[in-house]
Amino acid sequence: MVAPRMTSTAPLRRTIPWVALLACAALVGWLNFHAADDVQPVAAVLLLAGFAFGAYRPGRAWVFVLLLFAAVPLSGAYADALNYHPGQVKPAPLYESIIALIFPVVGAAVGAGMRMLMGTTAEAAP
């Protein structure tokens, strides 16, 4: 038997989500680096990206959540290293960034739930 040939789009389909994840994490890091007192844009991007990646792969949502969250403490550590803190008199402790984990977790849970709900309703429809 001849093994099936892989099409040329198969590697591209595997890399596109990782490139999108890298772009979202870079956006989160950039927003967090430049955040003064308003962290709502960071929370919104974490929530929306968590939703999208949770809907894309519900079983692997935890990987996407951790990688999205990693952008927050990494950008905070980078800002501390450069002594760059817009709008703050002194930098917040790095352990306070754990709060940012809530947003991608909630977004991924809702996205995965929507994906599972849509999958079960699509099968039940005649």
Side-chain angles (χ1 to χ4, degrees), residues 42-63:
V42 177
V45 171
L46 284 171
L47 190 67
L48 292 174
F51 176 83
F53 287 111
Y56 169 66
R57 286 277 183 137
R60 302 251 172 127
W62 64 273
V63 174

mmCIF file of all heavy atoms in Angstrom, residues 42-63:
data_model
loop_
_atom_site.group_PDB
_atom_site.id
_atom_site.type_symbol
_atom_site.label_atom_id
_atom_site.label_comp_id
_atom_site.label_asym_id
_atom_site.label_seq_id
_atom_site.Cartn_x
_atom_site.Cartn_y
_atom_site.Cartn_z
ATOM 1 N N VAL A 42 -5.821 45.162 28.265
ATOM 2 C CA VAL A 42 -5.098 43.897 28.472
ATOM 3 C C VAL A 42 -6.092 42.798 28.828
ATOM 4 O O VAL A 42 -6.049 41.696 28.279
ATOM 5 C CB VAL A 42 -4.032 44.048 29.578
ATOM 6 C CG1 VAL A 42 -3.342 42.734 29.851
ATOM 7 C CG2 VAL A 42 -3.026 45.121 29.220
ATOM 8 N N ALA A 43 -7.009 43.099 29.730
ATOM 9 C CA ALA A 43 -8.016 42.118 30.143
ATOM 10 C C ALA A 43 -8.916 41.737 28.968
ATOM 11 O O ALA A 43 -9.258 40.558 28.800
ATOM 12 C CB ALA A 43 -8.844 42.663 31.299
ATOM 13 N N ALA A 44 -9.278 42.707 28.147
ATOM 14 C CA ALA A 44 -10.153 42.428 27.003
ATOM 15 C C ALA A 44 -9.463 41.529 25.985
ATOM 16 O O ALA A 44 -10.081 40.577 25.478
ATOM 17 C CB ALA A 44 -10.583 43.738 26.348
ATOM 18 N N VAL A 45 -8.209 41.798 25.692
ATOM 19 C CA VAL A 45 -7.491 40.957 24.724
ATOM 20 C C VAL A 45 -7.299 39.559 25.288
ATOM 21 O O VAL A 45 -7.456 38.564 24.566
ATOM 22 C CB VAL A 45 -6.143 41.603 24.326
ATOM 23 C CG1 VAL A 45 -5.308 40.656 23.498
ATOM 24 C CG2 VAL A 45 -6.388 42.893 23.563
ATOM 25 N N LEU A 46 -6.979 39.445 26.566
ATOM 26 C CA LEU A 46 -6.844 38.121 27.180
ATOM 27 C C LEU A 46 -8.160 37.354 27.132
ATOM 28 O O LEU A 46 -8.180 36.154 26.833
ATOM 29 C CB LEU A 46 -6.371 38.252 28.627
ATOM 30 C CG LEU A 46 -4.904 38.580 28.840
ATOM 31 C CD1 LEU A 46 -4.641 38.900 30.302
ATOM 32 C CD2 LEU A 46 -4.021 37.438 28.380
ATOM 33 N N LEU A 47 -9.259 38.027 27.408
ATOM 34 C CA LEU A 47 -10.569 37.394 27.395
ATOM 35 C C LEU A 47 -10.958 36.943 25.985
ATOM 36 O O LEU A 47 -11.378 35.795 25.779
ATOM 37 C CB LEU A 47 -11.609 38.361 27.953
ATOM 38 C CG LEU A 47 -12.993 37.821 28.236
ATOM 39 C CD1 LEU A 47 -12.941 36.828 29.383
ATOM 40 C CD2 LEU A 47 -13.928 38.958 28.598
ATOM 41 N N LEU A 48 -10.792 37.824 25.002
ATOM 42 C CA LEU A 48 -11.172 37.493 23.632
ATOM 43 C C LEU A 48 -10.263 36.431 23.012
ATOM 44 O O LEU A 48 -10.740 35.526 22.327
ATOM 45 C CB LEU A 48 -11.174 38.758 22.774
ATOM 46 C CG LEU A 48 -12.264 39.766 23.108
ATOM 47 C CD1 LEU A 48 -12.084 41.036 22.291
ATOM 48 C CD2 LEU A 48 -13.635 39.169 22.873
ATOM 49 N N ALA A 49 -8.973 36.545 23.251
ATOM 50 C CA ALA A 49 -8.058 35.536 22.717
ATOM 51 C C ALA A 49 -8.285 34.194 23.398
ATOM 52 O O ALA A 49 -8.246 33.146 22.738
ATOM 53 C CB ALA A 49 -6.611 35.988 22.894
ATOM 54 N N GLY A 50 -8.531 34.211 24.703
ATOM 55 C CA GLY A 50 -8.856 32.962 25.399
ATOM 56 C C GLY A 50 -10.111 32.327 24.839
ATOM 57 O O GLY A 50 -10.175 31.108 24.654
ATOM 58 N N PHE A 51 -11.118 33.141 24.548
ATOM 59 C CA PHE A 51 -12.351 32.634 23.946
ATOM 60 C C PHE A 51 -12.082 32.000 22.585
ATOM 61 O O PHE A 51 -12.549 30.900 22.293
ATOM 62 C CB PHE A 51 -13.371 33.764 23.804
ATOM 63 C CG PHE A 51 -14.635 33.341 23.110
ATOM 64 C CD1 PHE A 51 -15.635 32.706 23.816
ATOM 65 C CD2 PHE A 51 -14.810 33.570 21.760
ATOM 66 C CE1 PHE A 51 -16.799 32.304 23.188
ATOM 67 C CE2 PHE A 51 -15.964 33.177 21.120
ATOM 68 C CZ PHE A 51 -16.967 32.542 21.828
ATOM 69 N N ALA A 52 -11.326 32.707 21.754
ATOM 70 C CA ALA A 52 -11.066 32.201 20.399
ATOM 71 C C ALA A 52 -10.279 30.898 20.419
ATOM 72 O O ALA A 52 -10.626 29.934 19.718
ATOM 73 C CB ALA A 52 -10.316 33.264 19.596
ATOM 74 N N PHE A 53 -9.239 30.837 21.227
ATOM 75 C CA PHE A 53 -8.438 29.618 21.265
ATOM 76 C C PHE A 53 -9.151 28.500 22.009
ATOM 77 O O PHE A 53 -8.948 27.330 21.704
ATOM 78 C CB PHE A 53 -7.064 29.901 21.879
ATOM 79 C CG PHE A 53 -6.174 30.663 20.956
ATOM 80 C CD1 PHE A 53 -5.832 31.973 21.234
ATOM 81 C CD2 PHE A 53 -5.687 30.090 19.799
ATOM 82 C CE1 PHE A 53 -5.015 32.689 20.388
ATOM 83 C CE2 PHE A 53 -4.873 30.790 18.944
ATOM 84 C CZ PHE A 53 -4.535 32.096 19.232
ATOM 85 N N GLY A 54 -10.006 28.835 22.978
ATOM 86 C CA GLY A 54 -10.808 27.813 23.640
ATOM 87 C C GLY A 54 -11.841 27.224 22.694
ATOM 88 O O GLY A 54 -12.121 26.021 22.737
ATOM 89 N N ALA A 55 -12.402 28.040 21.830
ATOM 90 C CA ALA A 55 -13.348 27.538 20.836
ATOM 91 C C ALA A 55 -12.631 26.755 19.739
ATOM 92 O O ALA A 55 -13.188 25.809 19.189
ATOM 93 C CB ALA A 55 -14.130 28.698 20.228
ATOM 94 N N TYR A 56 -11.415 27.147 19.428
ATOM 95 C CA TYR A 56 -10.648 26.459 18.386
ATOM 96 C C TYR A 56 -10.272 25.039 18.823
ATOM 97 O O TYR A 56 -10.470 24.087 18.078
ATOM 98 C CB TYR A 56 -9.383 27.268 18.047
ATOM 99 C CG TYR A 56 -8.398 26.531 17.188
ATOM 100 C CD1 TYR A 56 -8.704 26.187 15.883
ATOM 101 C CD2 TYR A 56 -7.156 26.167 17.697
ATOM 102 C CE1 TYR A 56 -7.802 25.496 15.099
ATOM 103 C CE2 TYR A 56 -6.244 25.482 16.919
ATOM 104 C CZ TYR A 56 -6.568 25.145 15.620
ATOM 105 O OH TYR A 56 -5.674 24.453 14.860
ATOM 106 N N ARG A 57 -9.700 24.899 19.997
ATOM 107 C CA ARG A 57 -9.276 23.598 20.517
ATOM 108 C C ARG A 57 -9.665 23.484 21.985
ATOM 109 O O ARG A 57 -8.871 23.808 22.860
ATOM 110 C CB ARG A 57 -7.764 23.433 20.418
ATOM 111 C CG ARG A 57 -7.225 23.195 19.072
ATOM 112 C CD ARG A 57 -7.340 21.727 18.743
ATOM 113 N NE ARG A 57 -6.738 21.494 17.456
ATOM 114 C CZ ARG A 57 -5.965 20.486 17.185
ATOM 115 N NH1 ARG A 57 -5.676 19.620 18.103
ATOM 116 N NH2 ARG A 57 -5.489 20.331 15.985
ATOM 117 N N PRO A 58 -10.866 23.009 22.298
ATOM 118 C CA PRO A 58 -11.279 22.922 23.700
ATOM 119 C C PRO A 58 -10.371 22.022 24.545
ATOM 120 O O PRO A 58 -10.128 22.314 25.707
ATOM 121 C CB PRO A 58 -12.694 22.337 23.629
ATOM 122 C CG PRO A 58 -13.171 22.629 22.261
ATOM 123 C CD PRO A 58 -11.952 22.643 21.387
ATOM 124 N N GLY A 59 -9.853 20.974 23.990
ATOM 125 C CA GLY A 59 -9.009 20.065 24.743
ATOM 126 C C GLY A 59 -7.631 20.629 25.067
ATOM 127 O O GLY A 59 -6.994 20.217 26.030
ATOM 128 N N ARG A 60 -7.175 21.543 24.262
ATOM 129 C CA ARG A 60 -5.859 22.156 24.478
ATOM 130 C C ARG A 60 -5.957 23.601 24.945
ATOM 131 O O ARG A 60 -4.981 24.346 24.881
ATOM 132 C CB ARG A 60 -5.057 22.127 23.177
ATOM 133 C CG ARG A 60 -4.861 20.760 22.621
ATOM 134 C CD ARG A 60 -3.454 20.343 22.768
ATOM 135 N NE ARG A 60 -3.324 18.952 22.390
ATOM 136 C CZ ARG A 60 -2.471 18.512 21.519
ATOM 137 N NH1 ARG A 60 -1.670 19.353 20.932
ATOM 138 N NH2 ARG A 60 -2.404 17.228 21.253
ATOM 139 N N ALA A 61 -7.106 23.992 25.415
ATOM 140 C CA ALA A 61 -7.305 25.386 25.820
ATOM 141 C C ALA A 61 -6.359 25.777 26.945
ATOM 142 O O ALA A 61 -5.903 26.915 27.005
ATOM 143 C CB ALA A 61 -8.754 25.603 26.248
ATOM 144 N N TRP A 62 -6.017 24.857 27.817
ATOM 145 C CA TRP A 62 -5.140 25.182 28.944
ATOM 146 C C TRP A 62 -3.751 25.595 28.470
ATOM 147 O O TRP A 62 -3.121 26.444 29.091
ATOM 148 C CB TRP A 62 -5.057 24.009 29.921
ATOM 149 C CG TRP A 62 -4.427 22.787 29.353
ATOM 150 C CD1 TRP A 62 -5.048 21.788 28.647
ATOM 151 C CD2 TRP A 62 -3.052 22.424 29.420
ATOM 152 N NE1 TRP A 62 -4.137 20.837 28.277
ATOM 153 C CE2 TRP A 62 -2.899 21.200 28.742
ATOM 154 C CE3 TRP A 62 -1.932 23.013 29.990
ATOM 155 C CZ2 TRP A 62 -1.675 20.565 28.609
ATOM 156 C CZ3 TRP A 62 -0.713 22.371 29.867
ATOM 157 C CH2 TRP A 62 -0.599 21.161 29.186
ATOM 158 N N VAL A 63 -3.280 25.020 27.354
ATOM 159 C CA VAL A 63 -1.969 25.398 26.810
ATOM 160 C C VAL A 63 -2.025 26.844 26.315
ATOM 161 O O VAL A 63 -1.134 27.644 26.602
ATOM 162 C CB VAL A 63 -1.547 24.450 25.669
ATOM 163 C CG1 VAL A 63 -0.267 24.924 25.013
ATOM 164 C CG2 VAL A 63 -1.412 23.033 26.171
#
